[in-house]
Amino acid sequence: MPDDVVLYGAKTGNCLRVAIALEELAIAHRVVLLDLGAGEQRTPDFLALNPGGKVPVLRVRSSRGPPLVLAQSNAILLYLAQQAGGRLLPREKDPSAPLALERFFFFVTDVIAPSHASFFLRSEGCDEGRRLMEQRTLDALLASEGFLENARFMAGQSFTLADIAAATIVAALSSSIDWTGHPRLHRWFACVMARPGVKRGMTAFD
Ligand SMILES: N[C@@H](CCC(=O)N[C@@H](CS)C(=O)NCC(=O)O)C(=O)O
């Protein structure tokens, strides 16, 4: 019996990255959309799955053992890549593996984390802090133009988790980007957004 894979989530960057990874790896799965505004992440049923009350959550049931229930988008991404034998992250012994990890963590910690901080500062009305975090996010993101100097993708010639992380944040900030000053980023973004797996992942919660 094939694994029963369910992604619980909503249309947020953390959830979209997992949806893209599942689609890129062609892993058959179901999506369960939660209405975060209505508090569906805090129902007893969902808290039994993730006591943290947050999405995304991946549940994998198989006949081989107890179900795996995993929260934390980055843990889920790394788990999926580990299962995928070199797709989305080069194998451990591949010389390109360290760079792929470095670039993945660059996007999640140096770009996406300050972007989340700016979101919370905006909701608290802290405009000065919000502006600082937005600028920090954009400066880091635009530095990735340099990653693409001799490479098709963010960590070399293969599509990796680094591209998934970059794709969702570039999509979210696309109206703030000076595209003419960043032609490689522009070319990369068009190429990545045209991938069928990325397209399906980006619309998984529509
Ligand atoms: N570090 C966690 C963050 C999870 C998180 O904050 N999820 C948000 C949506 S992106 C959420 O569930 N918010 C609802 C809430 O906090 O009530 C991850 O990467 O998965």
Side-chain angles (χ1 to χ4, degrees), residues 12-15 36 41-42 53-56 71-74 116 120:
T12 72
N14 286 336
C15 299
L36 300 182
Q41 71 280 29
R42 289 188 293 272
K54 291 193 189 302
V55 289
Q72 291 296 336
S73 57
N74 298 319
H116 285 167
F120 290 116

Side-chain angles (χ1 to χ4, degrees), residues 120-194:
F120 290 116
L121 289 165
R122 184 186 315 125
S123 60
E124 294 296 325
C126 302
D127 280 345
E128 198 183 334
R130 170 187 61 83
R131 273 193 297 276
L132 269 172
M133 285 299 122
E134 283 177 354
Q135 195 56 53
R136 200 179 168 95
T137 302
L138 203 55
D139 288 348
L141 178 58
L142 296 180
S144 65
E145 176 81 3
F147 299 166
L148 299 164
E149 197 171 336
N150 295 305
R152 269 182 79 198
F153 294 106
M154 287 297 178
Q157 303 309 334
S158 323
F159 181 86
T160 68
L161 290 186
D163 296 287
I164 295 181
T168 53
I169 190 70
V170 171
L173 298 180
S174 62
S175 62
S176 311
I177 294 176
D178 159 26
W179 289 111
T180 49
H182 299 87
R184 295 186 201 109
L185 194 61
H186 195 211
R187 173 196 53 73
W188 164 88
F189 187 52
C191 156
V192 163
M193 295 312 276

